[in-house]
Amino acid sequence: MTTRAKLTVYSALATALASLCLTPLLTTRSWVTHAFLVIAVIAAVGAGLRRAPLYRWTVPVGQLLVLFLLILIGFAGSGSLLGGVLPGPSSLRALDHVVSSGLDDIQVYAIPAPPNPGLRLILVAAVGLVAVVVDTVAVTYRRSALAGLPLLALYSVGNGLSGDHGSWLWFALASAGYLVLLFAEGQDRVSRWGRVFHGGSRDWTSSGRVSPGGQQVGVLALVAALLLPVVLPHWDSGLLSPDSGGSSGRSSIGSATSLDPLVSLESAVTKPTNNELLTYTLDSEIADQVYLRTGALDQFDGTNWRLGSTTVNDLPSSFPAPEGLRDANLPRIEGDFQISDRLEKSWLPMPYPAASVQVPNRSDWKLDPLTRTVLPTNDRAIRGLRYHVSALDLRPTANELRTASTAPQDIRDHYTSLPQDLPPVVAQQAHEVTAKATNDYDRAMALVNWFTGPQFQYDTAVNGGTGSNAIAVFLRDRKGFCVHFASTMAAMARTLKIPSRVAVGFTPGDAKGGNVYSVTGRMYHAWPELYFSGYGWLRFEPTPSRGNQPRYTEQSTTATTAPSQQPTASAQSSAPGPAPPPRTGGAPKHRPRGGWGGASNGSVCVSD
């Protein structure tokens, strides 16, 4: 193999190894195959152009054109190509749409993000550009040392975005690829010096190769770079530390919402564990039925549900009155919580609606007053946290919700907005299911009964996603897990002009004795919240055989006609069902149709 061929292969290898540091950015790694293919094609094109009698500057130009063509074919769709061969105007428009969606996803998703086409395009294109630069510098212009700059930039960006998801392995691989490239160019330079005199045999071999001593220096430098961070001290603060400054009042949402809860939840649901995430105690006779809500996602743009707020407040000693609740003078539920070290990057789990929370360091937390979500300002805030929550014990009845007045116009405008590209099947199905209902509560219950009926199947093997296309697929196949049920019911409720949003958190923990409950990785859950005037946001449970139905979803024997004046903390239904069976742990079981509506036996959001 000629020296130029070796440099071509080693520059491609160095780029491929450095690009592996980007793998933690997405939940899947299928895009890496596409990136490696792009690197190989760019290397082959460069090798071919360098054999032709062309100016050297034409080689990277040709490689860039080929990279653009590969991106068009890979992400604009072959159906948009003229004659199936050449890109046309439609393919350019399609590519522009994918790029725009990818840029939007960067602002929305946290690491690891779902493998949406836009994000995959950005990663593959970035790797392809680095491959062109490395090949140009190291092979076309024979400056392999300078090729370390684009490789370092690629590694720095990938490792910086990965954060805790990064690994020393990515640095080792990227450095090894760069060293191999340097050794190849070193051998080429030595071979050009001619035959070495005998007096220099200790430094160079007669074949013109770099001596083992030079290779040993490179390997030792790599090993030292890997081992030194282990023994050197680590500073968490300083002039450039994000925690070094203080702020008060309202602040940009910034790091407080860097977490995308649905992405994290989908990963936890499809790969459940028995690791204990937190324990808690509640002084309530319905403690085994209380969901622990971490937050609510109130904005739906057709791609995903997300927190719509752009600013947050400092964590107050007492929360403002819940949105829509007419009378906040209700009994309280007091709870003490202990987070384990296994729960990381989570919003604060609390019963809803929380009235106050006591945490050791209030500056580590922010409050989104609109959704009553408490968000951490840094990744360390949640680990090992002990805190106390006081929540309102709101227990409306079914009849009270039936006669609730229409939501205010500003609430309807904000919480019933839908993207223009929402598939028509969503509204059509919603109106068909609720055709016989005459009020928002009965419409909500019609949706719950439909989702929990025999026609839907709980299945964690289904692809995740909460966008318009995912909802249409879910309604067609009728298979999915809690994220599908929650996001679809919320979207269908909005088509019925019922204010809705998607809540995330945990279902009730397993009883450990002494009024102590344990939450494990099998209890991650998502559910819809619907708004009723006078009572605010109330949860509903559309996921079959998971979680428990709130008592106000039990059907009352007769519907009242006079509207209620205020919420009540009394028992739920004028004709309640039998008491729920005791929680004994074990596998989740299907709750009886039209039955007690209490806590299910076991965990949720996991495969049976």
Side-chain angles (χ1 to χ4, degrees):
M1 183 183 294
T2 64
T3 299
R4 179 173 289 177
K6 289 181 180 180
L7 291 176
T8 301
V9 172
Y10 292 154
S11 65
L13 177 63
T15 304
L17 292 177
S19 67
L20 291 176
C21 69
L22 301 176
T23 53
L25 301 185
L26 300 185
T27 55
T28 63
R29 299 179 179 180
S30 58
W31 67 271
V32 176
T33 302
H34 193 172
F36 285 179
L37 177 62
V38 168
I39 294 174
V41 172
I42 288 175
V45 170
L49 292 176
R50 279 186 289 268
R51 295 178 64 87
L54 301 172
Y55 291 107
R56 287 193 292 184
W57 63 265
T58 62
V59 176
V61 172
Q63 290 175 314
L64 289 174
L65 291 176
V66 171
L67 173 61
F68 182 67
L69 182 61
L70 292 175
I71 296 299
L72 277 178
I73 296 175
F75 294 95
S78 58
S80 61
L81 303 181
L82 295 177
V85 179
L86 299 177
S90 60
S91 63
L92 295 177
R93 287 192 296 268
L95 184 65
D96 178 70
H97 177 74
V98 176
V99 172
S100 299
S101 65
L103 295 176
D104 292 338
D105 289 343
I106 291 176
Q107 303 298 324
V108 172
Y109 289 110
I111 305 301
N116 294 338
L119 294 176
R120 289 189 287 109
L121 182 150
I122 291 174
L123 290 179
V124 172
V127 171
L129 286 174
V130 171
V132 172
V133 174
V134 172
D135 185 87
T136 299
V137 174
V139 188
T140 303
Y141 288 92
R142 298 293 183 94
R143 295 291 185 270
S144 295
L146 292 179
L149 294 178
L151 293 175
L152 176 61
L154 179 62
Y155 170 77
S156 300
V157 171
N159 191 63
L161 292 175
S162 299
D164 293 341
H165 299 275
S167 171
W168 62 268
L169 179 62
W170 309 136
F171 173 78
L173 292 175
S175 301
Y178 180 53
L179 287 177
V180 170
L181 181 60
L182 288 180
F183 291 156
E185 187 190 45
Q187 293 173 3
D188 175 60
R189 289 183 181 274
V190 170
S191 66
R192 297 184 183 205
W193 291 351
R195 187 174 182 84
V196 180
F197 292 105
H198 293 291
S201 60
R202 294 178 300 172
D203 299 322
W204 312 105
T205 65
S206 59
S207 61
R209 295 186 178 184
V210 180
S211 70
Q215 299 177 7
Q216 291 171 0
V217 170
V219 173
L220 289 175
L222 175 58
V223 173
L226 292 173
L227 295 181
L228 282 178
V230 178
V231 298
L232 290 177
H234 177 69
W235 292 273
D236 290 329
S237 60
L239 292 176
L240 300 180
S241 173
D243 299 331
S244 59
S247 61
S248 60
R250 297 184 66 85
S251 63
S252 298
I253 206 157
S255 61
T257 55
S258 61
L259 170 74
D260 188 301
L262 285 183
V263 174
S264 301
L265 189 144
E266 286 181 1
S267 176
V269 168
T270 55
K271 299 178 181 178
T273 69
N274 290 317
N275 295 331
E276 186 175 77
L277 304 179
L278 68 144
T279 57
Y280 64 94
T281 61
L282 289 178
D283 63 347
S284 172
E285 73 275 10
I286 60 170
D288 61 348
Q289 302 177 39
V290 176
Y291 280 36
L292 300 182
R293 177 183 182 273
T294 55
L297 311 175
D298 59 317
Q299 191 170 94
F300 182 50
D301 58 8
T303 301
N304 55 275
W305 289 84
R306 59 188 178 90
L307 186 64
S309 300
T310 57
T311 55
V312 290
N313 293 337
D314 289 339
L315 186 64
S317 56
S318 296
F319 292 1
E323 186 177 36
L325 183 60
R326 184 183 297 114
D327 182 12
N329 187 23
L330 297 170
R332 299 290 183 96
I333 299 176
E334 305 292 333
D336 291 298
F337 296 79
Q338 169 68 64
I339 304 294
S340 77
D341 293 335
R342 295 183 181 274
L343 181 60
E344 300 178 353
K345 294 186 177 181
S346 171
W347 298 345
L348 198 64
M350 301 181 297
Y352 183 85
S356 65
V357 59
Q358 300 174 19
V359 292
N361 190 351
R362 307 192 75 82
S363 63
D364 285 343
W365 300 90
K366 298 291 183 180
L367 173 69
D368 171 39
L370 190 63
T371 62
R372 302 180 81 80
T373 301
V374 177
L375 313 108
T377 59
N378 60 76
D379 294 340
R380 302 181 301 274
I382 193 71
R383 297 175 183 173
L385 179 69
R386 289 179 179 267
Y387 59 102
H388 179 85
V389 177
S390 179
L392 301 179
D393 191 4
L394 175 62
R395 305 188 197 181
T397 65
N399 284 334
E400 288 173 336
L401 298 181
R402 280 195 181 94
T403 57
S405 58
T406 304
Q409 190 61 44
D410 60 332
I411 296 292
R412 292 166 62 88
D413 290 343
H414 180 79
Y415 293 102
T416 62
S417 62
L418 289 167
Q420 295 182 351
D421 61 348
L422 186 71
V425 66
V426 181
Q428 293 171 1
Q429 191 69 75
H431 285 87
E432 289 179 8
V433 172
T434 62
K436 296 182 180 180
T438 58
N439 56 76
D440 285 350
Y441 170 80
D442 287 337
R443 294 186 186 95
M445 286 308 303
L447 291 175
V448 169
N449 293 332
W450 184 61
F451 282 119
T452 55
Q455 63 269 46
F456 279 90
Q457 179 181 346
Y458 185 87
D459 188 354
T460 57
V462 175
N463 291 333
T466 61
S468 298
N469 293 334
I471 290 175
V473 172
F474 172 67
L475 290 175
R476 181 195 66 197
D477 298 341
R478 302 191 177 183
K479 293 181 180 181
F481 47 91
C482 57
V483 172
H484 299 96
F485 286 94
S487 59
T488 302
M489 178 171 170
M492 293 175 74
R494 290 195 172 193
T495 66
L496 301 172
K497 300 304 178 183
I498 304 175
S500 63
R501 61 193 187 188
V502 174
V504 293
F506 304 94
T507 53
D510 289 329
K512 297 180 66 175
N515 203 31
V516 178
Y517 295 86
S518 172
V519 174
T520 69
R522 294 182 174 274
M523 297 174 185
Y524 281 98
H525 198 47
W527 60 92
E529 289 182 341
L530 275 55
Y531 179 94
F532 289 87
S533 292
Y535 308 93
W537 292 96
L538 301 173
R539 74 170 178 90
F540 288 79
E541 185 53 86
T543 306
S545 72
R546 297 302 185 271
N548 62 69
Q549 293 290 352
R551 292 188 178 182
Y552 49 78
T553 62
E554 297 174 2
Q555 295 299 316
S556 178
T557 54
T558 58
T560 60
T561 56
S564 172
Q565 296 303 313
Q566 64 180 12
T568 179
S570 60
Q572 302 309 302
S573 173
S574 60
R583 294 171 59 88
T584 58
K589 298 179 181 180
H590 292 267
R591 58 177 174 268
R593 297 288 302 148
W596 42 269
S600 65
N601 186 15
S603 305
V604 298
C605 265
V606 294
S607 56
D608 292 327

